[in-house]
């Protein structure tokens, strides 16, 4: 592509692009971090409800057993009043907080780059990774992919979580 001048990534981060090779080829590498935060925050909410209300298994049960049998198995799960743990507090989780405001959630945030006082002003709590994992009924991952965040949720981290917790991961996978 001799006429190519730039590699533009729609979304946050450029970890999917070999920036060094692109730079050596004289290409500018940029991203558009605000491109998908609305859609990803919507998708996170959809995943929370899909898992919490067991939508996929309930659909399967309804199709196999009919309404009468499926109705007996409907989960009584509700989002209102639960503790939501956010790991990372960039654009997407900030939008998520705005959208979930009416559910009266207790929100605890782990992000080493965010000042706890600024979180408190928004009615949010700051916490360590261990605190977020131990206390939250819903844990949602929103970290950039770095050496520090790669494999952040290990077997040890999962062992800290409540038995009834839901883990939502909308973070990106590593470049292949």
């Amino acid at each position: 592509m001799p006429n190519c001048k730039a590699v533009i990534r729609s979304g946050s981060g450029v970890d999917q692009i070999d920036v060094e090779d692109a730079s050596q080829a004289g290409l500018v590498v940029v991203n558009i971090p605000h491109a998908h935060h609305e859609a990803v925050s919507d998708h996170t909410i959809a995943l929370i409800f899909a898992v919490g209300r067991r939508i996929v298994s309930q659909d399967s049960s309804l199709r196999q057993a009919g309404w009468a049998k499926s109705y007996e198995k409907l989960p009584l799960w509700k989002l209102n009043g639960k503790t939501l743990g956010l790991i990372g507090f960039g654009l997407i989780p900030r939008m998520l907080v705005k959208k979930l405001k009416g559910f009266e959630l207790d929100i605890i945030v782990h992000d080493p780059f965010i000042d706890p006082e600024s979180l408190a002003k928004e009615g949010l709590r700051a916490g360590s990774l261990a605190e977020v994992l131990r206390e939250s009924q819903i844990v949602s991952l929103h970290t950039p992919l770095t050496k520090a965040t790669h494999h952040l949720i290990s077997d040890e981290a999962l062992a800290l979580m409540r038995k009834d917790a839901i883990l939502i991961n909308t973070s990106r996978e590593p470049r292949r």
Side-chain angles (χ1 to χ4, degrees):
M1 299 183 346
N3 296 324
C4 184
K5 303 289 183 216
V7 178
I8 302 170
R9 184 186 182 290
S10 177
S12 62
V14 292
D15 52 282
Q16 299 283 329
I17 300 166
D18 190 332
V19 177
E20 187 176 322
D21 281 355
S23 296
Q24 286 179 1
L27 300 173
V28 175
V29 177
V30 297
N31 67 326
I32 307 168
H34 297 277
H36 304 291
H37 65 284
E38 281 277 351
V40 177
S41 64
D42 287 350
H43 187 66
T44 302
I45 293 168
L47 291 172
I48 290 169
F49 277 103
V51 175
R53 299 285 301 171
R54 293 186 230 137
I55 290 172
V56 173
S57 63
Q58 289 300 316
D59 175 71
S60 177
S61 176
L62 174 66
R63 291 173 190 273
Q64 291 176 4
W67 177 253
K69 296 280 186 196
S70 297
Y71 184 77
E72 297 169 4
K73 297 178 185 177
L74 280 175
L76 297 176
W77 187 91
K78 63 180 183 167
L79 181 57
N80 196 60
K82 294 220 181 311
T83 298
L84 170 64
L86 297 172
I87 300 175
F89 199 62
L91 293 171
I92 294 167
R94 288 172 195 268
M95 182 63 60
L96 188 62
V97 167
K98 287 180 187 176
K99 292 177 180 182
L100 292 174
K101 213 166 198 84
F103 288 98
E104 300 175 356
L105 298 169
D106 175 29
I107 300 176
I108 182 170
V109 176
H110 172 69
D111 189 321
F113 302 103
I114 303 294
D115 175 37
E117 291 175 11
S118 66
L119 291 172
K121 288 178 186 173
E122 296 183 50
L124 310 173
R125 293 188 292 137
S128 68
L129 178 61
E131 289 171 321
V132 169
L133 294 171
R134 273 195 305 267
E135 295 179 30
S136 302
Q137 289 146 312
I138 303 154
V139 175
S140 191
L141 302 177
H142 300 280
T143 59
L145 181 61
T146 66
K147 287 181 182 177
T149 62
H150 188 72
H151 295 297
L152 183 68
I153 302 302
S154 61
D155 288 341
E156 293 81 18
L158 290 172
L160 292 174
M161 293 178 68
R162 298 166 50 118
K163 299 297 180 214
D164 63 342
I166 293 170
L167 177 63
I168 304 295
N169 182 2
T170 59
S171 298
R172 291 186 312 278
E173 67 176 320
R175 180 171 57 128
R176 298 192 189 277

